[in-house]
Amino acid sequence: MANRNSIRFVVRNAESIYKQLRWHGEVKCPHCGSVNIYECAYGYKCRRCRKRFTNYTNTLMHGSKVDTSAWVLTLYLMLDSRGISSVEVARKVGVTQKTAWSMMMKWRQAMSQDSVELKGVISMDEAYLGGSWTNKPLRKQQAIADKYIPREFQHGSLPKSTFLKINSDIHTPIIGMNDGSSVVLKVLPRGFSKTDIQDIFNSHSSDVTCCVSDSSKLYDDWSVPFEHSNHSKRQYTTASGYSSNNVEGLFSHLKRALRHNQVHISDKYMQLYLDEMAFRWRHRLDTIHIKMLDSFNNSQHKPTKIPNPKPLTNPDIEFVKECFAFGSFVESVELHGIVYHNN
């Protein structure tokens, strides 16, 4: 966890840390990617596309009135912990809780799992996030039970199949996949089916050797080789020695982090919290600098492609000839995005 000295260092050197994360020592145009730029009163200007930009163009901080030190310190606190609430970030950064929550959600958007690919042996399992329905008031429990079983047939405890339906209805179902070096955590729709899991698996997997899961019917009749372990019979490894305990351990870390730092998470924002957890797990062995660098690179928009330059007109050709008339003193001339060499 971050201490006072590290927080003071980040605050004092926030501007230099930000520039290093953004430019990596070389300023480039965010519009066309050119390095042929110069400083101006507004910030920078590109000689190629003739557009102006600043250190915050095409980033999460573009147009924000919050100080740079607050953005950098928020990212540092999120990555240097196993989870932190917006209330604690607001207290340490010196902003309101709403501002801290907004900054944290934007940083979570930069930790997306869209480009993650799993390979080799992949462990899969589903889980349900949310409090137990038995902790609700009795009148709400009765309303939930009446939704699935008529009142006249409710005698004693409810069957297991009814409990599974209740979990998928009042809780948020998620799917976890782990190949040992990277993980994917995705939110499943209410009342999900095998097709929903297969779509997520196909979009995040390549060169799959084998998949490991429990004895659920959701993983039957797949096009990839599957091995199952029956947990109800205390079988936690397959015949080949594979186990799904790594994804079970991931769920354990996830549930503890959410339970200790968050009061409630709506379905609308659940995927962003899963992205943060998966990002932190993938970089669990990296330094804080590598974590901040990777998350900051994902927060930038890709440069737009500039159109093909127009052919030179007669005045432009005369201008290039005049420049080359000085002999070997002029080696090249750049005009309208094209570099002409003096051969």
Side-chain angles (χ1 to χ4, degrees), residues 14-226:
E15 195 68 30
S16 59
I17 294 175
Y18 172 79
K19 290 182 178 180
Q20 179 63 27
L21 293 174
R22 177 69 198 275
W23 303 120
H24 312 294
E26 183 180 23
V27 182
K28 295 183 180 180
C29 177
H31 304 289
C32 65
S34 175
V35 297
N36 192 3
I37 63 172
Y38 61 92
E39 296 186 11
C40 60
Y42 180 77
Y44 304 98
K45 190 171 183 179
C46 178
R47 289 189 175 92
R48 184 181 180 184
C49 62
R50 312 302 298 173
K51 292 184 179 180
R52 297 180 179 181
F53 61 94
T54 64
N55 293 325
Y56 310 100
T57 303
N58 287 357
T59 63
L60 299 175
M61 289 170 273
H62 182 70
S64 175
K65 297 181 180 179
V66 183
D67 191 67
T68 306
S69 59
W71 282 96
V72 177
L73 182 58
T74 300
L75 178 62
Y76 176 80
L77 294 174
M78 292 176 62
L79 298 179
D80 196 44
S81 65
R82 295 184 179 180
I84 189 171
S85 64
S86 59
V87 176
E88 187 173 358
V89 171
R91 179 175 57 85
K92 292 185 177 181
V93 176
V95 295
T96 62
Q97 185 272 336
K98 293 182 179 180
T99 302
W101 183 87
S102 177
M103 290 190 296
M104 294 175 70
M105 297 305 288
K106 289 185 178 181
W107 282 124
R108 290 186 179 106
Q109 293 176 4
M111 304 176 187
S112 175
Q113 311 173 66
D114 295 339
S115 60
V116 178
E117 285 192 0
L118 306 179
K119 301 179 180 180
V121 180
I122 301 177
S123 301
M124 302 176 58
D125 198 5
E126 71 280 354
Y128 298 92
L129 301 180
S132 175
W133 78 288
T134 57
N135 294 332
K136 297 179 179 295
L138 292 178
R139 57 183 179 83
K140 292 187 177 181
Q141 292 185 34
Q142 190 63 52
I144 295 173
D146 293 342
K147 185 177 179 180
Y148 296 96
I149 299 179
R151 183 69 64 90
E152 59 270 16
F153 295 102
Q154 295 179 14
H155 302 287
S157 59
L158 298 178
K160 182 179 179 181
S161 59
T162 305
F163 271 107
L164 295 177
K165 292 180 180 179
I166 293 175
N167 282 335
S168 62
D169 190 17
I170 68 174
H171 293 162
T172 304
I174 65 172
I175 182 68
M177 297 182 289
N178 190 341
D179 66 350
S181 60
S182 186
V183 297
V184 171
L185 293 170
K186 289 291 184 178
V187 175
L188 293 171
R190 299 295 176 91
F192 64 93
S193 62
K194 182 193 302 184
T195 306
D196 299 321
I197 300 179
Q198 289 177 341
D199 293 340
I200 297 176
F201 175 80
N202 294 332
S203 61
H204 292 280
S205 62
S206 63
D207 300 333
V208 179
T209 304
C210 178
C211 292
V212 184
S213 68
D214 54 17
S215 56
S216 174
K217 295 181 179 180
L218 294 171
Y219 307 106
D220 293 340
D221 301 329
W222 281 43
S223 59
V224 295
F226 246 98

Side-chain angles (χ1 to χ4, degrees), residues 219-319:
Y219 307 106
D220 293 340
D221 301 329
W222 281 43
S223 59
V224 295
F226 246 98
E227 294 191 12
H228 304 275
S229 58
N230 195 341
H231 293 174
S232 61
K233 297 182 179 180
R234 297 185 179 275
Q235 297 176 0
Y236 301 104
T237 57
T238 62
S240 303
Y242 298 130
S243 174
S244 60
N245 288 340
N246 50 2
V247 70
E248 298 285 353
L250 175 64
F251 288 152
S252 178
H253 283 280
L254 171 63
K255 292 180 179 180
R256 283 200 299 268
L258 297 181
R259 182 172 62 250
H260 294 164
N261 297 289
Q262 311 298 332
V263 178
H264 172 72
I265 303 176
S266 63
D267 294 347
K268 180 179 179 180
Y269 302 108
M270 179 61 73
Q271 185 58 57
L272 295 178
Y273 288 89
L274 297 182
D275 292 341
E276 179 191 4
M277 181 63 189
F279 180 89
R280 189 183 295 116
W281 195 95
R282 292 195 303 270
H283 295 79
R284 64 194 184 281
L285 302 179
D286 296 332
T287 61
I288 185 63
H289 179 265
I290 300 298
K291 295 178 183 179
M292 297 179 67
L293 186 63
D294 192 8
S295 60
F296 196 90
N297 290 339
N298 296 336
S299 68
Q300 302 183 52
H301 304 288
K302 295 182 179 179
T304 56
K305 296 183 179 179
I306 61 174
N308 295 328
K310 297 180 180 180
L312 295 180
T313 59
N314 292 330
D316 296 333
I317 297 176
E318 296 297 332
F319 171 76

